[in-house]
Amino acid sequence: MPTDDRPEYDVVIVGAGLAGLYMLHRVRGLGLSVRVYEAGDGVGGTWYWNRYPGARCDVPSLEYSYSFDPQLEQEWEWSERYATQPEILRYIEHVADRYDLRRDITLGTRVESVIRDDEANRWAVTTDAGEEVWATFVITAAGCLSAPKPPEIGGLDSFAGTLVSTSAWPADGVDLAGKRVGVIGTGSSGIQSIPLIAEQAASLTVFQRTPNYSLPAHNAPLDPAVQRDWKARYREHRAAVLQARTGILVERGTRSALEVDPDERSARYAQCWDSGLFACIPASYTDIITDLDANETAAEFVRGRIREIVRDPDVAEALTPRGYPFGTKRICLDTGYYDTFNQEHVTLVDLRRTPLVAVTPEGVQTTEEEFGLDVLVLATGFDAVTGPLLRMDIRGRDGVHLRDAWAGGPHSYLGLQVAGFPNLFTITGPGSPSVVSNVVVSIEQHVDWIAECLRYLREHGVAAIEPDADAEAAWAQHVHDVAAATLYPQAPSWFVGANVPGKPRVFMPYLGGVPAYRQKCAEVVEAGYEGFVLHRPAVHA
């Protein structure tokens, strides 16, 4: 624990990505002292770390951007419909410089522990650099997909070639030219990187356990006329985004998929396929995500497109998702993914048929053969939503560990706070729309809510805030009930932690939609922070 001569801040923010930077900007505006700790050597969060070939956003650039400053909207020019990682990182760096945010950020420093001092009503924050500070408020902005999942693959340390992860791709790149390359994993990172890796490698072997649904992005340079139109009507567009269920502008259907003529339905799906919007097919009819028969019509349409693209029927079948409903895992957007498997130097290994045994010094051994490799790429995903929080040692009232509090699965009130952890806020935490929405929309809403909460606490002499345990339990039940009314829980996805051995199976994000969630958060404030306990002043009681 730090001693009393350690620096003390009103607010410590964990993370300097899109959430942390905006939170810093808002906290500064309140006149509070603040320090941000960022594990990376630069700002950007997800967009600092994920430098793998093909990394880009799956939400249109004009929507995947801050809305808080109209001048920022007007001055920044996006070059592509879906921005690449380098362009998004340049945007984030521009924001850090434009608002002079770097002077309050400590880079290359990971927060190791956040421990509550009940008597003093403050948090002791310790970093891996040995720095110890006090903070009245701690705000986690660590991101939902920032804790890489340790791969459950034996023999990785024995590999004699180059071993690299998509989540920690070297800034100076990896030499793939003329190399025998293997990729383990076909989630979003794998699907984005595989076509570009295939362009460079002498041979590419893709090791797939579970095929994912992927739709074509139809990415292209951003039409200047489109960008001018958006800038002329940005306020109107932003207002429309806030009324969109996922925070992404997409036309929503008003009929069941089962009540329309099959030809009409196929034409609608084809229109969505050509739109380049991953949210289009799920939104095309009212029951795609709630009725299995309706869902199957969409799933079979996508499977048919895969069969049309991939010439080898056996490879096409191996790439065809089955066993879980369409859209219940995050749908991927790609550029030439399925067509990549038509290339002679690209091989797909179906690990459902021939399981992976181990990585060897020479490559990868399955139950049938060993594949010699020079480079092995791990695209094995993340310990999503809770992982970034639980890798820190967070202890609340009476020394209770957050990991123990969440032993049966995460619970929070509105995804913003956890009972027993006063003055600890979690931007896009479990129980909020977060990863099932345009995350920038969700980030801004959380940051604004937290900033106004901090203002309220100061103006009303409130020492600490935390959820009422009953309100938290009721919200957790509501999150569960909303998810249970859909097909989402039927998929073994990272939304429920199914990709991490031993992780409690709880559907983590809130599926009620961005507008309903925003309304609930507003109603809570209007009712005097209903569902929260406001401590004046005996915060340790």
Side-chain angles (χ1 to χ4, degrees):
M1 295 287 290
T3 57
D4 288 338
D5 63 349
R6 299 297 183 179
E8 182 163 3
Y9 298 96
D10 295 318
V11 179
V12 162
I13 299 170
V14 183
L18 286 162
L21 293 182
Y22 183 41
M23 191 76 251
L24 170 57
H25 180 64
R26 287 301 315 268
V27 167
R28 271 198 194 161
L30 297 172
L32 300 175
S33 61
V34 57
R35 173 56 44 184
V36 178
Y37 292 102
E38 165 57 47
D41 291 330
V43 300
T46 291
W47 299 108
Y48 172 85
W49 294 106
N50 288 271
R51 302 168 181 264
Y52 59 85
R56 69 173 69 240
C57 188
D58 59 3
V59 175
S61 306
L62 290 164
E63 298 174 51
Y64 192 85
S65 56
Y66 289 123
S67 69
F68 70 87
D69 187 344
Q71 290 185 348
L72 176 64
E73 291 176 333
Q74 295 300 317
E75 70 191 22
W76 185 263
E77 294 285 322
W78 293 104
S79 68
E80 294 184 69
R81 183 189 189 193
Y82 292 107
T84 61
Q85 176 271 333
E87 184 169 13
I88 297 172
L89 184 58
R90 287 195 299 272
Y91 172 72
I92 297 171
E93 290 172 338
H94 170 74
V95 170
D97 293 334
R98 190 188 194 284
Y99 302 98
D100 188 26
L101 301 178
R102 296 181 191 271
R103 58 186 167 88
D104 291 321
I105 301 172
T106 301
L107 297 171
T109 304
R110 186 179 298 279
V111 170
E112 289 193 331
S113 66
V114 179
I115 299 175
R116 178 80 180 164
D117 184 317
D118 293 329
E119 293 296 326
N121 182 35
R122 58 185 179 178
W123 293 94
V125 179
T126 305
T127 74
D128 61 357
E131 186 175 0
E132 298 176 319
V133 301
W134 294 107
T136 303
F137 299 93
V138 172
I139 303 172
T140 64
C144 293
L145 295 170
S146 63
K149 180 182 73 70
E152 305 89 46
I153 303 170
L156 286 173
D157 292 341
S158 72
F159 184 57
T162 300
L163 182 66
V164 63
S165 171
T166 52
S167 60
W169 199 267
D172 55 357
V174 180
D175 181 13
L176 303 174
K179 302 291 180 64
R180 300 170 300 164
V181 181
V183 176
I184 299 178
T186 54
S188 181
S189 300
I191 284 173
Q192 287 185 332
S193 63
I194 283 167
L196 291 180
I197 292 174
E199 291 179 3
Q200 304 173 58
S203 67
L204 172 61
T205 306
V206 177
F207 299 91
Q208 173 191 267
R209 183 174 60 183
T210 304
N212 277 284
Y213 289 100
S214 188
L215 308 180
H218 298 299
N219 188 48
L222 190 56
D223 185 341
V226 171
Q227 188 152 209
R228 284 195 301 270
D229 174 75
W230 267 75
K231 289 188 174 185
R233 299 190 297 143
Y234 235 134
R235 294 301 92 192
E236 178 184 335
H237 288 306
R238 296 295 194 186
V241 162
L242 296 184
Q243 296 305 312
R245 185 176 183 84
T246 59
I248 301 171
L249 292 180
V250 63
E251 181 182 353
R252 300 198 67 85
T254 58
R255 295 181 296 170
S256 163
L258 302 177
E259 69 181 46
V260 300
D261 179 82
D263 290 339
E264 178 186 347
R265 188 172 59 217
S266 293
R268 175 60 179 145
Y269 292 154
Q271 183 183 35
C272 286
W273 180 272
D274 293 337
S275 75
L277 294 170
F278 76 83
C280 187
I281 292 181
S284 59
Y285 295 102
T286 58
D287 49 2
I288 297 295
I289 297 299
T290 57
D291 183 277
L292 199 56
D293 290 335
N295 185 279
E296 182 62 19
T297 65
E300 187 52 36
F301 171 84
V302 177
R303 294 182 195 126
R305 286 301 178 100
I306 296 171
R307 290 191 291 267
E308 290 175 8
I309 296 169
V310 182
R311 292 192 289 267
D312 185 317
D314 292 335
V315 175
E317 179 58 29
L319 288 166
T320 298
R322 300 187 187 279
Y324 63 93
F326 170 78
T328 53
K329 293 186 176 186
R330 177 94 178 197
I331 300 169
C332 300
L333 283 184
D334 72 82
T335 299
Y337 174 67
Y338 292 115
D339 190 53
T340 299
F341 293 93
N342 291 324
Q343 300 178 45
E344 291 184 1
H345 72 301
V346 177
T347 301
L348 179 68
V349 178
D350 186 350
L351 297 179
R352 295 170 300 176
R353 297 180 179 177
T354 60
L356 191 153
V357 175
V359 173
T360 69
E362 290 75 29
V364 170
Q365 177 72 54
T366 70
T367 53
E368 281 197 353
E369 64 179 295
E370 183 174 19
F371 296 85
L373 302 171
D374 303 307
V375 180
L376 180 58
V377 178
L378 301 178
T380 47
F382 297 89
D383 183 354
V385 185
T386 58
L389 300 174
L390 296 181
R391 66 179 173 181
M392 293 182 282
D393 179 11
I394 300 178
R395 304 183 214 173
R397 181 181 294 110
D398 300 324
V400 174
H401 290 251
L402 182 61
R403 183 174 296 276
D404 292 335
W406 283 357
H411 48 82
S412 74
Y413 189 40
L414 302 174
L416 283 162
Q417 278 202 305
V418 180
F421 296 80
N423 289 353
L424 175 72
F425 294 92
T426 55
I427 298 176
T428 60
S432 71
S434 61
V435 291
V436 291
S437 69
N438 176 350
V439 75
V440 182
V441 170
S442 292
I443 282 171
E444 284 195 309
Q445 186 259 338
H446 263 198
V447 169
D448 289 338
W449 193 98
I450 293 168
E452 292 309 310
C453 179
L454 295 180
R455 185 195 306 277
Y456 178 92
L457 299 181
R458 182 175 59 183
E459 292 177 351
H460 291 79
V462 177
I465 183 172
E466 65 177 303
D468 172 80
D470 290 339
E472 179 181 85
W475 181 253
Q477 186 63 47
H478 176 61
V479 171
H480 168 80
D481 292 344
V482 171
T486 74
L487 301 174
Y488 273 91
Q490 295 187 24
S493 69
W494 55 258
F495 291 142
V496 298
N499 64 321
V500 179
K503 188 169 183 175
R505 300 297 185 258
V506 173
F507 195 86
M508 294 181 283
Y510 177 60
L511 285 172
V514 167
Y517 176 80
R518 292 173 63 89
Q519 180 179 347
K520 172 64 177 178
C521 289
E523 290 172 352
V524 164
V525 173
E526 291 168 4
Y529 288 90
E530 182 180 34
F532 288 94
V533 179
L534 306 182
H535 296 284
R536 306 183 177 90
V539 297
H540 60 278

